[in-house]
Amino acid sequence: MLCCATLTMAAQQVTVVERTRLLQGVEGPAYNPVLSADGRQLLFSSGQQSGLKLYSLDDNVVTRVSDEPGAGIDACWGGDGKVYYVTQERRPDNLIYRTGHCYDVADGKGQVVLEAQHGAVRPMPATRGAALRGGASFASPSMGMAVGTQGSEVVLSIDGRERRFSPIESHAGYLWASLSPDRSRVAFFAAGTGIVIIDLDGNVLAQLGNYEMPCWYDNDYLVAQHATDDGHQFTSSQIVLLKADGTFSHALTRPTSMTMQPTCGGGCIVYTTIDGQMSLMKIQINP
């Protein structure tokens, strides 16, 4: 399934050179995709309360990582090549407890790295490992650089030393922070503002517009979701390409496609639709 479409804006040209449906006939609805850095493996779930699965794009094989509820919601790849995720359970006291896990793709084995606790726990990918942040937290040894959000703060950790920034006012908070591939900038979403790019000292470098779920395509471009709603449900959703300096944007899918949840790795872009049809896209960018 190959298509070519040339899209232009200003002096730049973007060509979609491949668009391939994934998991068709293999899995049902697929959501929450997360590509590995090399673009060869993909994490996904079948829904918000379902488990976590791993798809190898090389051999078209799906492996079940966990059947536990919530495992696929915030799963991430650590810089060590392992998968970090959080499961949740409702106990008889009607409180929700969350447990942190690590899954080693090489031997197919998982282990609990953060015991069950009440309250939010979120994975935080790092350059040499990962962390799980909550009331009690876990960090893999020598995890390197990591970035996440807490409330209206960007939390940057470098070799265990933590710095916090609030460069944009946002009473509803920040989400989806990530390091650029060259580790010189951070992209995040500020509610009410959209995607913001800062340097490692918290200085604002660019504001890209009111898009969601930013992910770095390379050092110069990001891919994001642009969705609209009527207060009850989505009315449109599409995938867009954004230049990190804020000078260029272009739609990669149509608003009516209801495409969302983009992820990037190895020069590939993966996204899904509102009804769980997952696709892979490859593009070529010419100045």
Side-chain angles (χ1 to χ4, degrees), residues 177-243:
S178 61
L179 280 167
S180 60
D182 63 6
R183 305 174 189 176
S184 67
R185 291 155 294 160
V186 174
F188 68 96
F189 170 83
T193 297
I195 299 173
V196 181
I197 309 293
I198 61 174
D199 63 20
L200 301 188
D201 292 317
N203 300 306
V204 175
L205 302 177
Q207 296 184 39
L208 308 189
N210 198 18
Y211 306 101
E212 309 90 28
M213 304 190 74
C215 56
W216 290 91
Y217 176 75
D218 58 21
N219 285 317
D220 298 315
Y221 292 89
L222 298 95
V223 175
Q225 166 186 300
H226 183 211
T228 61
D229 63 79
D230 59 8
H232 302 284
Q233 59 186 5
F234 288 113
T235 55
S236 71
S237 189
Q238 65 186 134
I239 306 302
V240 295
L241 179 72
L242 307 169
K243 196 164 187 181

Side-chain angles (χ1 to χ4, degrees), residues 71-86:
I73 297 176
D74 285 321
C76 73
W77 292 95
D80 53 7
K82 297 179 181 179
V83 176
Y84 294 84
Y85 63 96
V86 177

Side-chain angles (χ1 to χ4, degrees), residues 34-37 41-43 54 75-79 81-84 105 125-126 129:
V34 186
L35 270 172
S36 59
Q41 299 181 95
L42 178 73
L43 301 172
L54 171 64
C76 73
W77 292 95
K82 297 179 181 179
V83 176
Y84 294 84
V105 178

